[in-house]
Amino acid sequence: MALPLFLSLVPPAEAWRRLEEHLDRGPHEVETVGLFEACGRVLAEDVTSPGDLPGFPRSTVDGFAVRARDTFGATDSLPALLAIAGEVRMGETARFALEPGKCARIATGAMLPQGADAVVMVETTEEMGSGLIAVAKPVAPGENVVGPAEDVAKGDVLLQRGRRLRPQDIGALAAAGVSRVRVAAGPKVAIMSTGDELVEVSDALLPGKVRDTNSYSLYAAVLAAGARPVAAGIVRDDYREVASAMREQLARADMLVVSGGSSIGTRDLARDAIDSLGPPGVLVHGVAVRPGKPTILAVAGGKPVFGLPGHPVSCLTIFRLFVEPAIARWMGTAPERREVEARLGANVASVAGREDYIGVKISVRDGVRWADPVFTKSALISGLVASDGVVRVPAEVEGIEKGAPVTVTLF
Ligand code: AMP
Ligand code: MG
């Protein structure tokens, strides 16, 4: 039943292109949330500012609102003397207009009185008594003032569709008076583990058995990607059981992620089972990457289906390479990636024509940031646990030497 060979090993970028062609960019589902729920969510539409920000000229310091020209030429030895006309109260409009030669006490954030065009910092003034201050340094018009709409003008795009909201974005929305936003809902991603050797996490580990790791790491990865995971559990290595469980799960989800059985052995059922789900079926079987060669990318009924290798490390590596970008695309955004530059802490060998992903631990020694490879057998997830991120060894090279600059993609 299973084909004897991989269709051909496809470079990761080409594999993604083949899949991406079939995936419409989202957002496919949208919901409205309040600002307390909005952090980390992806904007489904541009947010424009309902008004000018600030709505009035505001002082950025504590001091005295002035007409800037009244301070021109002021020095320590020849200060400008100004009469205090009054005080602007916080949150109120000044009840007076500022006449030449006068100033008004003002606090940070308060509104400038009519006629004032700058603020002198309290530190550069001295109170002379009898309602006079001495200003020892001139200010330019607009100094220590945010003009109306200088932050944002009414109708400006405050934040663009596709943006993943950060705390400062939430603050900007609040300041602009936007209390609710339309955000992308994540796709429902069904997660299935296959293998006769798999047992539940809480089951005793009899000889030959393996605890189902991927259901849990994938569930967490799907959540972290902003999608809605659905745990479909463990299915035995039986073609009919696997194929019917896949069909049932895919019908209720937007994507299906299956781990195990994705290679080319007699017990590897994933390829044929996935191909039975409907056209166009399997697009890629076998990717020129390590870890993760036995990877299947498919589409059935417009929904992506992923056959990930069972090795827990390969499984997560391929998730980051293909599933995470597909989830992001479904929501109308791109995966969140943080990178740092470092020097590789040890030689890493690689085969030309294959992309390698090496787990690394970051440390700073002698003021230099090092990325030390964490070498483990790929079946052990402890190597990933010890890693801070991964380094990609491109297909064209046969390895990277110790000390070479590398880019680390952080977990
Ligand atoms: P497979 O991809 O089915 O050939 O499995 C490759 C290796 O990964 C085997 O050692 C499996 O026992 C192991 N494996 C497969 N699925 C899982 C899983 N869900 N959790 C932990 N290990 C797994
Ligand atoms: Mg298996």
Side-chain angles (χ1 to χ4, degrees):
M1 197 157 39
L3 287 182
L5 289 171
F6 288 115
L7 297 181
S8 70
L9 291 187
V10 180
E14 164 66 14
W16 169 250
R17 267 196 299 280
R18 285 194 203 170
L19 177 68
E20 191 187 27
E21 251 186 298
H22 295 270
L23 309 179
D24 292 336
R25 175 174 284 284
H28 292 283
E29 233 182 285
V30 167
E31 57 185 323
T32 302
V33 297
L35 295 190
F36 287 143
E37 288 82 47
C39 194
R41 303 298 302 268
V42 173
L43 275 184
E45 56 194 23
D46 289 351
V47 177
T48 54
S49 179
D52 288 343
L53 261 189
F56 52 87
R58 268 183 106 177
S59 176
T60 61
V61 296
D62 290 337
F64 295 90
V66 297
R67 296 172 172 259
R69 62 185 325 155
D70 287 346
T71 68
F72 289 174
T75 61
D76 278 330
S77 52
L78 200 61
L81 294 178
L82 299 174
I84 304 172
E87 179 174 357
V88 187
R89 287 178 180 280
M90 204 59 175
E92 292 181 14
T93 308
R95 294 202 188 82
F96 51 90
L98 203 67
E99 290 161 21
K102 303 250 166 104
C103 66
R105 251 184 240 287
I106 193 163
T108 306
M111 178 175 172
L112 262 65
Q114 280 275 319
D117 59 359
V119 178
V120 291
M121 286 172 72
V122 69
E123 291 85 341
T124 63
T125 65
E126 197 178 327
E127 300 222 17
M128 309 298 287
S130 58
L132 281 182
I133 61 161
V135 180
K137 244 178 98 183
V139 282
E143 201 165 328
N144 300 322
V145 175
V146 207
E150 201 174 298
D151 253 359
V152 189
K154 177 177 177 168
D156 276 0
V157 174
L158 208 55
L159 294 166
Q160 278 184 332
R161 161 196 171 109
R163 184 184 188 92
R164 216 177 279 271
L165 295 172
R166 302 170 301 165
Q168 57 267 50
D169 303 329
I170 305 292
L173 291 166
V178 179
S179 61
R180 299 172 74 69
V181 282
R182 302 270 287 160
V183 294
K188 286 197 236 32
V189 181
I191 298 160
M192 188 189 299
S193 288
T194 67
D196 288 336
E197 75 281 23
L198 300 180
V199 297
E200 299 288 349
V201 175
S202 48
D203 284 352
L205 213 51
L206 297 172
K209 298 294 188 192
V210 175
R211 289 201 184 91
D212 175 14
T213 308
N214 299 339
S215 281
Y216 292 88
S217 57
L218 290 173
Y219 194 101
V222 166
L223 264 188
R228 290 171 285 174
V230 181
I234 301 167
V235 182
R236 292 194 307 127
D237 285 324
D238 175 277
Y239 176 78
R240 291 172 64 175
E241 278 188 39
V242 170
S244 84
M246 281 183 180
R247 181 163 297 112
E248 193 184 313
Q249 292 300 327
L250 189 61
R252 287 184 295 188
D254 302 303
M255 296 184 189
L256 172 63
V257 176
V258 182
S259 74
S262 63
S263 195
I264 50 174
T266 48
R267 307 253 61 185
D268 291 320
L269 315 162
R271 183 196 146 78
D272 289 337
I274 289 174
D275 224 14
S276 77
L277 296 173
V282 173
L283 306 168
V284 171
H285 186 202
V287 178
V289 63
R290 189 168 88 164
K293 175 168 81 170
T295 288
I296 301 163
L297 304 182
V299 170
K303 299 175 181 177
V305 180
F306 302 87
L308 306 189
H311 280 293
V313 175
S314 313
C315 182
L316 275 183
T317 302
I318 297 304
F319 180 93
R320 286 172 63 86
L321 217 48
F322 299 116
V323 187
E324 204 181 318
I327 289 172
R329 191 174 165 78
W330 201 91
M331 297 195 290
T333 187
E336 214 181 2
R337 296 272 188 254
R338 282 163 209 269
E339 295 179 339
V340 292
E341 305 302 318
R343 284 172 186 278
L344 197 60
N347 290 336
V348 165
S350 163
V351 173
R354 184 186 73 199
E355 216 167 274
D356 282 35
Y357 286 86
I358 313 288
V360 295
K361 184 152 186 53
I362 291 185
S363 67
V364 176
R365 298 192 290 273
D366 306 325
V368 175
R369 189 189 290 126
W370 292 91
D372 296 310
V374 178
F375 295 110
T376 51
K377 293 186 180 153
S378 70
L380 298 178
I381 203 159
S382 54
L384 273 190
V385 173
S387 300
D388 297 314
V390 285
V391 166
R392 170 177 167 274
V393 184
E396 329 64 91
V397 304
E398 293 192 344
I400 304 180
E401 289 196 348
K402 177 178 174 171
V406 289
T407 301
V408 181
T409 306
L410 299 172
F411 290 135

